[in-house]
Amino acid sequence: MAAAVPVRVRLAPSPTGTLHIGTARTAVFNWLFARHLGGAFLLRIEDTDRERSREAFTEDILDGLRWLGLSWDEEPVVQSARIEAHRAAIRQLLESGQAYRCYASDAELETMRQRQQAEGRAPRYDNLHRDLSPEQEQAYVAEGREAVVRFRIDDGATITWTDLVRGEMRWAGSDLGGDMVIARRAPADAIGDPLYNLVVVVDDAAMAISHVIRGEDHIANTGKQLLLYEALGLTPPRFAHTPLILNQEGRKLSKRDGVTSVGEFRAMGYTAEALVNYMTLLGWSPPEGVGERFSLEQAAAVFSFERVNRAGARFDWDKLNWLNAQVLHGMEAAELRRRLLPLWQARGWAGDGAGADPEWQEELCTLLGPSLTLLADGVEQAAPFFETPDPDASALALRSDAGSRAALTALLERLREGTLAAETAQGLLAEAATAAGVKKGVLMKGLRAALLGSLRGPDLLSTWLLLHRLGADRDRIAAAL
Ligand code: GLU
């Protein structure tokens, strides 16, 4: 029996932009598949587009993957460093006659396109220079024309594969646009820059990739790549084409939809846990009993392509927000503090007095955690704990309420006399309310308005105790009188 092929998958991002949510989701499926089967998850930086590739984008992509927890297993392969291997493959195809030089000029190609359009045909290369005689070729070279290298695609070929997501796939050679360019234009004695389909095949084979998992926008490329595997005498991997991420209108999610890069989601206050969880659900249905909230490890334990849908996955902000809230509500206070502290510090907060005390900060996190949807909410809601808030209209209106004023005055007197502790807070409130002849609820409303500048906010007693430890409660009550 043949030995099983080790599972090796890869993410092959092009560093021509920041880490896109679609690429990240492809990374998630690759990672889950590899981890499920104990295989390797590899990275290849496809930086052959020299004009558009940037080192800073590579950094952003690696950074985003790390942040999401999508660990990879070997040093990332840098595609541009492998150009000699790519050229060697092109030479091999030229020598075996499976590729040839095409000297067609832009103007000639444009004429071809217009003729096809006029005839109502789909544009394609009509294999014009496929069988040039040596004399014709000489003549073009003598003219000083440059040439691309094209790979022969037999119009009669039928390409089939069993896709792990989409099942039996069949592609006709005649639907691949004619003989394919595999190297950019260069003088006839040289080989120009090798192009995507060729380099992907050469690199996937060199990296011993067993499964290529990528978006379904690559399906036509897979047809071309399978022909190249055959021509180069290489064993092709298995393929899985995952559904695209769609916007609310059902079209492919694009820059026009606003937030699309992982860094943007991060800056908005989404946690990595919620984002990977959400991306996994974009196209994969967890098996019965798993629920919708899970960690990457939990998903990896049960992941399979059988549960990846063929239909596109619509982006659903409500679901993402719900997941993020679940993550934040379930987070230990110490961990929440670790994540919020840099955001607080960026606002110039938490640097001095009791507000700099980690224990106090943790208690603040315990108080705020259950009401957060985004990490950013933990900045907004922490603001009145670090800065004296400006009272809103409803808090201002309460200042002229005689009952509320009397009760706050009575409370302030008592606060000046003794200290406040968790055990005595309720008693103090009751005493002050009685002394002022109002219901305790009136005082509580007034106290909340005085402390937070708003009638809304977290649990009042905890809020008060935290502000008391900052020494801020008395001043705020006094200011409201
Ligand atoms: N660099 C290609 C992309 O980002 C890789 C596609 C593939 O996985 O082969 O779309």
Side-chain angles (χ1 to χ4, degrees):
M1 220 172 75
V5 178
V7 168
R8 289 169 65 82
V9 300
R10 78 335 185 242
L11 181 77
S14 306
T16 53
T18 54
L19 179 57
H20 185 274
I21 190 86
T23 309
R25 206 275 309 257
T26 301
V28 170
F29 283 172
N30 273 280
W31 190 95
L32 291 173
F33 182 72
R35 294 295 174 255
H36 180 73
L37 294 172
F41 170 58
L42 313 176
L43 294 183
R44 182 172 68 237
I45 305 300
E46 304 216 314
D47 60 341
T48 49
D49 182 341
R50 278 177 279 183
E51 258 147 52
R52 292 169 56 227
S53 296
R54 299 270 178 286
E55 186 58 34
F57 290 139
T58 301
E59 285 312 312
D60 179 90
I61 291 165
L62 298 185
D63 218 46
L65 293 172
R66 257 184 232 116
W67 179 69
L68 290 168
L70 301 168
S71 47
W72 56 92
D73 292 307
E74 294 170 9
E75 263 307 293
V77 170
V78 177
Q79 191 157 59
S80 57
R82 296 190 25 80
I83 190 154
E84 281 321 312
H86 306 145
R87 290 226 165 91
I90 295 172
R91 243 175 260 121
Q92 181 187 333
L93 293 172
L94 281 168
E95 277 158 21
S96 66
Q98 288 161 295
Y100 61 90
R101 288 195 161 80
C102 162
Y103 299 83
S105 66
D106 286 339
E108 284 163 349
L109 292 173
E110 179 55 23
T111 310
M112 183 189 301
R113 202 188 60 78
Q114 284 174 4
R115 195 180 57 237
Q116 288 162 345
Q117 202 176 24
E119 291 166 3
R121 291 191 291 143
R124 57 166 282 161
Y125 175 66
D126 65 4
N127 304 343
L128 191 67
H129 287 194
R130 187 188 263 198
D131 296 305
L132 291 181
S133 67
E135 294 74 31
Q136 281 169 311
E137 194 156 353
Q138 278 305 318
Y140 283 134
V141 174
E143 257 179 55
R145 284 204 193 199
E146 296 195 328
V148 298
V149 178
R150 286 188 186 265
F151 171 67
R152 286 172 186 263
I153 295 181
D154 175 5
D155 276 344
T158 305
I159 305 133
T160 59
W161 74 93
T162 307
D163 196 282
L164 270 65
V165 175
R166 311 177 66 87
E168 293 312 310
M169 300 292 290
R170 175 176 286 267
W171 209 275
S174 53
D175 286 340
L176 294 178
D179 293 345
M180 157 176 59
V181 180
I182 53 174
R184 268 188 231 282
R185 225 169 248 166
D189 58 350
I191 291 174
D193 286 344
L195 290 178
Y196 167 73
N197 281 303
L198 183 281
V199 297
V200 164
V201 166
V202 172
D203 289 351
D204 280 338
M207 290 166 75
I209 297 303
S210 63
H211 296 77
V212 166
I213 302 162
R214 59 187 173 197
E216 68 174 35
D217 45 340
H218 283 288
I219 286 181
N221 287 329
T222 298
K224 296 175 184 172
Q225 289 171 21
L226 281 167
L227 292 175
L228 282 165
Y229 277 102
E230 199 183 331
L232 290 165
L234 299 168
T235 311
R238 305 281 313 271
F239 289 91
H241 290 95
T242 56
L244 298 182
I245 304 178
L246 308 176
N247 63 15
Q248 292 304 315
E249 288 76 48
R251 282 191 293 273
K252 185 179 167 185
L253 194 74
S254 75
K255 281 230 159 57
R256 267 165 286 134
D257 294 302
V259 188
T260 49
S261 84
V262 167
E264 287 169 322
F265 283 96
R266 184 178 180 178
M268 284 169 79
Y270 289 98
T271 59
E273 294 95 323
L275 198 55
V276 282
N277 189 157
Y278 182 63
M279 288 191 289
T280 310
L281 289 173
L282 272 175
W284 180 71
S285 325
E288 208 82 5
V290 173
E292 290 195 304
R293 166 77 192 106
F294 43 72
S295 66
L296 273 177
E297 286 71 23
Q298 287 166 331
V302 293
F303 185 81
S304 79
F305 279 109
E306 269 132 57
R307 303 193 70 87
V308 172
N309 314 320
R310 293 184 191 191
R314 233 173 249 248
F315 199 90
D316 177 355
W317 284 98
D318 291 340
K319 175 71 71 68
L320 174 60
N321 286 337
W322 176 80
L323 280 168
N324 207 59
Q326 297 297 305
V327 169
L328 291 177
H329 298 174
M331 197 175 271
E332 297 279 340
E335 179 58 21
L336 185 55
R337 170 184 169 269
R338 198 182 63 74
R339 302 202 194 190
L340 283 174
L341 191 56
L343 306 179
W344 291 343
Q345 286 168 339
R347 290 281 192 100
W349 300 341
D352 52 20
D357 172 16
E359 209 178 304
W360 182 89
Q361 293 169 353
E362 253 181 62
E363 282 176 45
L364 179 59
C365 288
T366 305
L367 178 64
L368 301 182
S371 58
L372 305 184
T373 297
L374 298 174
L375 272 176
D377 300 335
V379 177
E380 196 191 313
Q381 293 179 27
F385 290 86
F386 293 111
E387 289 173 350
T388 308
D390 290 328
D392 65 19
S394 55
L396 274 178
L398 260 195
R399 291 189 175 181
S400 49
D401 182 279
S404 174
R405 293 179 64 89
L408 282 176
T409 308
L411 183 66
L412 192 56
E413 273 165 26
R414 281 164 180 75
L415 275 176
R416 284 193 175 126
E417 284 159 14
T419 53
L420 174 73
E423 308 76 47
T424 58
Q426 287 285 8
L428 273 186
L429 286 175
E431 263 181 48
T434 310
V438 299
K439 290 205 173 115
K440 204 167 140 198
V442 172
L443 171 55
M444 291 185 66
K445 200 166 153 190
L447 180 60
R448 181 183 290 283
L451 294 178
L452 294 175
S454 163
L455 299 187
R456 290 181 304 123
D459 175 68
L460 180 63
L461 284 186
S462 310
T463 299
W464 184 19
L465 286 161
L466 281 169
L467 285 169
H468 183 77
R469 274 156 62 192
L470 294 181
D473 59 335
R474 275 178 290 188
D475 291 348
R476 291 192 192 181
I477 295 168
L481 289 171

